[in-house]
Amino acid sequence: MHLSVTSESFPLAEVFTISRGSKTHADVLTVRLSDGTHKGWGECVPYKRYGETLDSVTAEIEGLPEEFDRASLMDLLPAGAARNAVDCALWDLEAKRAGKRAWELAGLTKPGPEITAYTLSLGEPDAMEAAARRHAHRPLLKIKLGTPDDMARLEAVRRGAPRSRIIVDANEGWSAEVYADLAPHLVRLGVALVEQPLPASDDEALLGMERPVPVCADESAHDTASLAALKGKYDVVNIKLDKTGGLTEALRLREAALTEGYGIMVGCMVGTSLAMAPAVLVAQGAMVTDLDGPLLLAQDRPEPLQFDEAGVHPSSPSLWG
């Protein structure tokens, strides 16, 4: 089996800002696999928050042996971006070999479109209100927050989009005190979900705190093994393939989280339709789908995912799976 990994950069439609910084491009790694007859591919986004860089993830992928499969890959690479790109490329390759869709190989029912959040990046209240007005037609907006003075931003977005459902992502940017102060206002403003309000290292403070709005674990939730530490702190688990290390583990995590009573959110890094395609399978029936990466790009892959009023649609076989 031949493996190659390349770095690619896709310009964003506008600057994207969270509490950790801003970006103008989606810098991704693309893995291509070939058995000489069939080809498969996958994409990942190395994430600095988890100590990943384009170079370090490339080195992980290039260090794989010549022969491996999805089962052995679980032991060859840890959960993370490197394993995600390779695992998804293997699913694509297996689907092409079998002449079936990836969802069939996974034993899933035929997928359909899912309403996805559209993310408004962090900015001054006036700018966020203007962005909310531009996207007020969307049924679900996600607000990037994570500063001590977020109240004005929340109010501004609600003014700009009075009818949209709103979810909030603090990206670990609040303290327990800030979150407690904001919580009643989140209820007042009709916020449906709060994502990772506290740093993962400090989320013990959530134990025993009132959660009037469901709280979702993102940086605190990676793979199935991380579920045990979430008990009593979170109501929802955000599944991202770049954290789980691919579709294989993402499906396991979804099943385990549902069994333990958690709601499911399926999220993404800022990537292309190739990265979102396998995640659409995990998002079927999720409480929240947040696969808007391609909507933030100025340029996407050929034959990209379709987005319309029904949401994000499953990929065509020519894109993935």
Side-chain angles (χ1 to χ4, degrees):
M1 183 165 58
H2 176 72
L3 179 152
S4 69
V5 54
T6 55
S7 175
E8 299 183 76
S9 187
F10 292 81
L12 303 186
E14 54 188 52
V15 177
F16 184 76
T17 302
I18 67 172
S19 59
R20 297 191 189 98
S22 300
K23 62 194 307 180
T24 59
H25 289 73
D27 296 314
V28 310
L29 291 176
T30 306
V31 167
R32 292 175 173 84
L33 295 175
S34 173
D35 62 6
T37 303
H38 302 94
K39 297 178 181 179
W41 65 341
E43 177 185 310
C44 70
V45 181
Y47 199 40
K48 184 179 179 181
R49 166 66 177 80
Y50 304 132
E52 297 173 334
T53 66
L54 291 169
D55 289 342
S56 71
V57 173
T58 297
E60 283 187 88
I61 295 169
E62 291 180 338
L64 287 167
E66 289 187 7
E67 295 298 328
F68 58 88
D69 57 16
R70 281 196 296 111
S72 60
L73 180 65
M74 300 294 287
D75 296 321
L76 291 170
L77 290 176
R83 196 175 76 192
N84 175 34
V86 180
D87 180 74
C88 291
L90 283 168
W91 276 101
D92 190 34
L93 180 63
E94 290 172 26
K96 289 179 169 64
R97 281 173 173 167
K100 296 183 176 181
R101 299 306 310 272
W103 60 266
E104 294 179 275
L105 298 181
L108 304 174
T109 57
K110 185 177 181 179
E114 291 286 335
I115 293 293
T116 183
Y118 181 86
T119 304
L120 305 180
S121 67
L122 182 65
E124 293 302 316
D126 287 349
M128 293 186 74
E129 180 174 350
R133 289 190 190 283
R134 289 197 302 274
H135 297 283
H137 63 284
R138 300 184 186 275
L140 178 60
L141 294 177
K142 176 173 171 176
I143 315 171
K144 288 289 189 179
L145 297 176
T147 73
D149 53 350
D150 280 334
M151 194 63 240
R153 293 181 172 91
L154 276 168
E155 299 273 10
V157 170
R158 179 46 85 196
R159 284 195 302 272
R163 289 181 293 277
S164 300
R165 288 180 66 220
I166 290 177
I167 59 177
V168 165
D169 185 3
N171 278 119
E172 304 181 279
W174 293 340
S175 66
E177 293 74 22
V178 168
Y179 170 60
D181 287 343
L182 284 176
H185 297 289
L186 299 175
V187 175
R188 175 174 60 84
L189 294 170
V191 172
L193 182 81
V194 180
E195 206 178 331
Q196 198 70 41
L198 308 186
S201 58
D202 296 332
D203 68 358
E204 292 293 318
L206 291 171
L207 288 169
M209 287 186 69
E210 287 189 26
R211 297 196 295 272
V213 173
V215 177
C216 178
D218 183 1
E219 286 85 354
S220 291
H222 290 258
D223 54 10
T224 307
S226 67
L227 273 180
L230 306 182
K231 192 171 183 179
K233 306 174 191 175
Y234 298 98
D235 311 291
V236 182
V237 174
N238 189 347
I239 301 174
K240 293 179 179 175
L241 273 64
D242 276 315
K243 294 188 301 176
T244 65
L247 177 61
T248 302
E249 177 63 15
L251 292 172
R252 293 176 183 173
L253 175 55
R254 183 181 70 169
E255 183 177 357
L258 287 171
T259 298
E260 295 191 22
Y262 291 99
I264 300 297
M265 176 176 181
V266 177
C268 65
M269 307 305 184
V270 182
T272 77
S273 285
L274 177 58
M276 307 302 125
V280 172
L281 304 186
V282 188
Q284 297 299 297
M287 176 180 173
V288 174
T289 296
D290 179 25
L291 298 178
D292 63 343
L295 297 177
L296 306 177
L297 302 179
Q299 174 189 339
D300 198 359
R301 302 277 185 180
E303 301 189 57
L305 292 178
Q306 177 187 351
F307 292 82
D308 59 23
E309 64 278 359
V312 54
H313 289 254
S315 64
S316 64
S318 54
L319 174 65
W320 180 89

